[in-house]
Amino acid sequence: SGKVYTFTHSDVRGTVGANGEVLFSEAVKGIACGLRFACAVLQSGFSVVCWGINTYGQVNPSTGSTTNTLTPDNNMHVFSSQVLDVACNMKTCFALLEDGTIGAWGSNANGQMTQGTPVGDFKTATLTLPKKAFRLILVSATGICTHYIDDTYSCWGEGQDITPQPAD
């Protein structure tokens, strides 16, 4: 149905909605979870919204604030190209775009947003891929791989020396 529901978990950081509350008025076509945060691709396909812990700017890097966000209301990442896939690792989120790029935001402590050069947190980046990819694969807490349509891979960040193998 494309709906995202909440569940209650009380801790010092707060609770996201009440049990069974629908988070979005628009349908969701993809969702990814990181370490205590999540991001969803809206049905329109050009927007990713995030909510949860924002320690590294993985929810909303534009503010430069570490304020946690319990609702996805004001944390929208809008792209000019269709979002094909979304993936979040421990501290970073990635959106694979139809135009052959990846939008990334959050921590870059292991070079996961710059394909190898660590430059810190609260960053946004656009990565240009050498060829057409169709999905993102997480290989470690801070590493990411792209799976290309010719069944090859490239990886960067922590664990970039790991090459995923095609399924049998």
Side-chain angles (χ1 to χ4, degrees), residues 37 39 50 53-62 65 77 88-94 103-114 119-125 142:
F37 75 99
C39 294
C50 303
I53 303 301
N54 192 43
T55 309
Y56 304 95
Q58 68 271 38
V59 172
N60 189 351
S62 62
S65 168
H77 307 274
C88 300
N89 61 26
M90 193 170 166
K91 305 172 186 175
T92 314
C93 202
F94 305 87
W105 57 96
S107 174
N108 192 43
N110 293 90
Q112 62 268 39
M113 288 175 40
T114 52
V119 292
D121 302 330
F122 288 95
K123 304 294 180 194
T124 58
T142 60

Side-chain angles (χ1 to χ4, degrees), residues 21 29 41 60 73-74 81 93 98 100 124 146 167:
E21 179 183 351
K29 70 176 193 174
V41 180
N60 189 351
D73 299 337
N74 297 313
S81 185
C93 202
E98 192 174 50
T124 58
T146 54

Side-chain angles (χ1 to χ4, degrees), residues 24 26-30 40-49 76 82-83:
F24 307 100
E26 183 179 343
V28 169
K29 70 176 193 174
V41 180
L42 298 182
Q43 188 63 44
S44 66
F46 291 92
S47 301
V48 176
V49 291
M76 188 172 297
Q82 188 84 10
V83 179

Side-chain angles (χ1 to χ4, degrees), residues 59-78:
V59 172
N60 189 351
S62 62
T63 64
S65 168
T66 59
T67 301
N68 300 332
T69 305
L70 300 180
T71 59
D73 299 337
N74 297 313
N75 301 304
M76 188 172 297
H77 307 274
V78 179

